[in-house]
Amino acid sequence: MKQSGNKSNAVGLESVGITAAKEVLWNLSPAELVEEALNNGEGYLTSTGALMCDTGKFTGRSPKDRFIVKDAKTEDSVWWGDINIPFDAEKFDRLHEKMVNFLKDQKLYVRDAYAGAHPDYRLNLRIINTQAWQNLFCNNMFLRLSNEEIKDHQPEFTIICAPEFEADPAVDGTRQSNFAIINFTKNMILIGGTGYAGEMKKGIFGVLNYILPHERNTLSMHCSANVGESGDTAIFFGLSGTGKTTLSADPERGLIGDDEHGWTADSVFNFEGGCYAKVIDLTREKEPQIWDAIKFGSIVENTRFYEGTREVDYTNNSVTENTRTAYPINYIDNAVEPSRADIPKNIFFLTADAFGVLPPISKLNTSQAMYHFISGYTAKVAGTEVGVTEPQTTFSACFGAAFLPLHPTKYAEMLGKKMEENNVNVWLVNTGWTGGPYGVGSRMKLPYTRAMITAALKGELEHVEFTKHPIFGVEMPNSCPNVPSEILSPRNTWQNKEEYDTKAVDLASKFVKNFQKYAEYASDDILAGAPQAEVTA
């Protein structure tokens, strides 16, 4: 087996059953990987030097084809169901063997790296790829080892990713030919039949979401985080479209990370070494930091050029709306390295409430914070092909249900405990509609939202008077610097107050109905955070 590059002397590929391959290239530099990708016909160089690649048939994750091996270790700890789909241990072993045999004829790219910027909580990784650009993706997204560290590197978790290898569902126990399977006993992830690189990133996130809370008493979080000059850390939770990336990218504050973090007894730390940002309709004016980060060493996925040029047309969605870029975090000017900071003083739950019900900013007590954390609410604007229609509620437990191996109440209880121990403020921020629902009211102005978050961060809301929301029970400030007082209570912004009351009760009932699937495992403290409403049909 021909091997070259900077290879670990501690553990070879035989540890995961690979004893033969066409060629193995270890820990190549970004420049070498770009050269390999171009020689292999995997992509093109853009005008900024970034590598443009396509992910093939799959342009996003495939949640129904993500499995966890159910065995003695996971049987009683994993939250089994539609999200964590069980996979037979013996079938995993047979599929692993088939993949190893397939790899005998392949050129392999091996990346040694780690996840977790806190030395006491890091997870040593090894990623084995059949495509050079995917190995570059892993170089960008995971934390990078020095050449000296690589020599003694001992992986604790290994990813084998071969997009060209397809399973036979009838024989292998998968749903389709593509799959992503986590085995917590073998410390391995198998990925095949899909070229979407995000499966590797989110696979390791899922691993940490199990190991850290279950085995290390550390809260794992799907969030962004930044820190001010005085060392005050802030965390931002929010689903797609709520403004999480925009609001956490503050030039006055250092970026700890944009997506995945852990919260220990004394710090918050980033799991990753890079950012994986959406680029649909990207402009320098809207997202200057992301725009400037797309340079040599970065990757752009599923994008297209302006005809006759190598300039990326970010408005082009002919492949997918989910066009993305992956780059090392140090491509962001104000990135904090190492990506760690003190425990947070403020947490923001961001929601784009298209019903126009929730206050633009409100303060949550511990029970409400745990309840809203498990709810993970936002509202998507429904399709408008035949005129304006009713918005649709979206709930995702802990703002990342797809990546939670444990029951959501486990993460919520840890959050509540940390709030109490550290006197942390939790704010619910509505970046959605005011003055009425979508189609009637207007979107909350971004400068107002920024002003409210800035006031919370500076402690300027600590001494103002608050009013309790009659349905949701959250505390609404009566005043906020640089924000008109009349918009702080959403009911005041509606022309028809009775319509607001009806809509508020209706939204609250949707919260209660959604929470029913978690209620069996929820403590009285969590349940106390529910809004005052009954379930309606």
Side-chain angles (χ1 to χ4, degrees):
M1 188 162 63
K2 181 183 176 184
Q3 303 189 66
S4 59
N6 189 11
K7 180 179 179 294
S8 167
N9 297 322
V11 180
L13 296 184
E14 66 280 354
S15 65
V16 290
I18 299 174
T19 56
K22 186 176 179 180
E23 185 179 2
V24 182
L25 301 174
W26 289 81
N27 295 302
L28 298 186
S29 68
E32 290 171 318
L33 286 169
V34 169
E35 189 172 28
E36 283 282 324
L38 296 175
N39 288 339
N40 295 343
E42 296 174 9
Y44 304 91
L45 278 185
T46 73
S47 59
T48 66
L51 180 67
M52 178 192 285
C53 296
D54 278 4
T55 64
K57 176 183 176 182
F58 293 92
T59 57
R61 291 180 304 101
S62 185
K64 293 182 180 178
D65 300 296
R66 171 198 178 269
F67 306 92
I68 295 177
V69 172
K70 189 173 186 177
D71 56 18
K73 183 171 185 177
T74 59
E75 184 174 8
D76 296 326
S77 53
V78 167
W79 176 41
W80 301 109
D82 294 339
I83 290 172
N84 299 306
I85 306 166
F87 199 83
D88 182 76
E90 291 184 2
K91 288 183 177 178
F92 178 92
D93 291 342
R94 288 197 293 269
L95 190 60
H96 176 216
E97 186 178 352
K98 286 174 69 173
M99 286 190 78
V100 167
N101 287 330
F102 173 83
L103 297 177
K104 289 178 180 177
D105 300 321
Q106 305 295 314
K107 180 191 280 190
L108 303 181
Y109 301 91
V110 182
R111 171 73 35 198
D112 287 324
Y114 65 101
H118 193 302
D120 295 339
Y121 298 91
R122 65 187 276 175
L123 181 72
N124 287 335
L125 307 174
R126 173 165 291 164
I127 307 96
I128 302 162
N129 299 108
T130 56
Q131 297 181 1
W133 82 265
Q134 292 209 333
N135 205 245
L136 177 62
F137 175 92
C138 294
N139 175 76
N140 291 354
M141 292 312 307
F142 298 121
L143 287 152
R144 293 159 286 280
L145 296 164
S146 69
N147 288 336
E148 284 301 310
E149 288 175 313
I150 286 172
K151 291 178 181 177
D152 300 316
H153 183 71
Q154 298 188 46
E156 297 167 278
F157 234 93
T158 300
I159 300 174
I160 302 176
C161 181
E164 307 85 355
F165 176 83
E166 296 187 342
D168 180 349
V171 175
D172 298 320
T174 56
R175 187 180 73 101
Q176 331 187 105
S177 58
N178 63 298
F179 57 89
I181 311 170
I182 303 174
N183 190 322
F184 284 104
T185 299
K186 296 285 180 74
N187 295 331
M188 195 183 306
I189 302 176
L190 301 181
I191 301 172
T194 172
Y196 185 66
E199 293 283 12
M200 295 182 287
K201 163 190 158 70
K202 290 304 187 185
I204 292 301
F205 185 41
V207 168
L208 291 169
N209 279 334
Y210 180 86
I211 292 174
L212 291 179
H214 186 60
E215 301 175 2
R216 304 295 306 276
N217 194 33
T218 295
L219 177 61
S220 54
M221 304 175 292
H222 191 212
C223 66
S224 58
N226 64 26
V227 61
E229 290 183 2
S230 63
D232 61 304
T233 301
I235 290 174
F236 298 80
F237 291 94
L239 302 178
S240 179
T242 60
K244 182 177 71 167
T245 301
T246 301
L247 292 168
S248 62
D250 185 337
E252 302 299 317
R253 297 172 65 82
L255 179 68
I256 304 168
D258 76 331
D259 199 40
E260 304 171 7
H261 294 83
W263 184 348
T264 73
D266 62 359
S267 69
V268 166
F269 66 95
N270 192 355
F271 290 166
E272 302 184 298
C275 301
Y276 192 37
K278 290 183 179 179
V279 294
I280 193 69
D281 295 326
L282 178 71
T283 64
R284 173 171 261 139
E285 292 71 32
K286 285 197 297 186
E287 300 284 0
Q289 291 181 315
I290 296 174
W291 181 276
D292 291 338
I294 302 175
K295 55 188 179 181
F296 186 79
S298 299
I299 297 166
V300 282
E301 289 181 355
N302 300 315
T303 53
R304 289 294 179 264
F305 295 125
Y306 287 106
E307 189 173 350
T309 77
R310 286 297 178 97
E311 185 181 349
V312 178
D313 175 7
Y314 290 110
T315 67
N316 190 318
N317 63 355
S318 60
V319 180
T320 177
E321 286 281 332
N322 190 35
T323 53
R324 289 190 176 258
T325 180
Y327 50 84
I329 196 169
N330 56 17
Y331 279 20
I332 298 290
D333 288 339
N334 64 333
V336 176
E337 290 195 277
S339 303
R340 291 172 57 193
D342 290 340
I343 56 177
K345 293 186 177 180
N346 291 281
I347 296 173
F348 298 94
F349 294 165
L350 306 176
T351 180
D353 177 26
F355 296 98
V357 166
L358 294 177
I361 188 168
S362 54
K363 191 173 185 180
L364 311 185
N365 62 33
T366 302
S367 291
Q368 292 164 345
M370 291 189 289
Y371 186 94
H372 280 268
F373 187 54
I374 291 176
S375 297
Y377 164 72
T378 193
K380 292 182 179 178
V381 175
T384 56
E385 293 179 5
V386 289
V388 177
T389 57
E390 185 78 357
Q392 299 172 340
T393 55
T394 298
F395 295 97
S396 183
C398 308
F399 299 93
F403 319 115
L404 304 181
L406 308 177
H407 194 278
T409 53
K410 170 70 173 179
Y411 305 92
E413 286 167 358
M414 293 185 78
L415 176 70
K417 188 168 185 285
K418 288 181 174 295
M419 277 183 66
E420 293 288 325
E421 290 174 349
N422 300 289
N423 195 27
V424 180
N425 297 316
V426 176
W427 307 90
L428 180 64
V429 175
N430 177 17
T431 62
W433 272 256
T434 182
Y438 172 79
V440 178
S442 58
R443 189 81 191 251
M444 187 66 61
K445 291 180 180 179
L446 181 59
Y448 290 162
T449 301
R450 288 195 184 280
M452 288 182 274
I453 288 175
T454 297
L457 290 172
K458 290 184 175 180
E460 293 173 339
L461 299 182
E462 290 181 9
H463 305 295
V464 303
E465 291 185 352
F466 286 78
T467 299
K468 187 185 291 289
H469 190 280
I471 304 297
F472 282 86
V474 297
E475 296 286 345
M476 304 177 293
N478 294 343
S479 61
C480 177
N482 302 311
V483 178
S485 296
E486 59 267 22
I487 74 166
L488 293 174
S489 175
R491 190 175 189 270
N492 293 342
T493 66
W494 284 52
Q495 285 190 344
N496 188 320
K497 304 296 190 282
E498 290 183 356
E499 281 186 14
Y500 173 83
D501 295 338
T502 300
K503 190 66 71 176
V505 171
D506 181 56
L507 179 59
S509 72
K510 288 180 167 65
F511 268 80
V512 174
K513 184 175 181 180
N514 169 73
F515 205 88
Q516 287 176 337
K517 56 180 169 283
Y518 311 118
E520 181 184 353
Y521 297 96
S523 66
D524 290 342
D525 281 348
I526 295 174
L527 294 172
Q532 300 302 306
E534 302 293 332
V535 175
T536 57

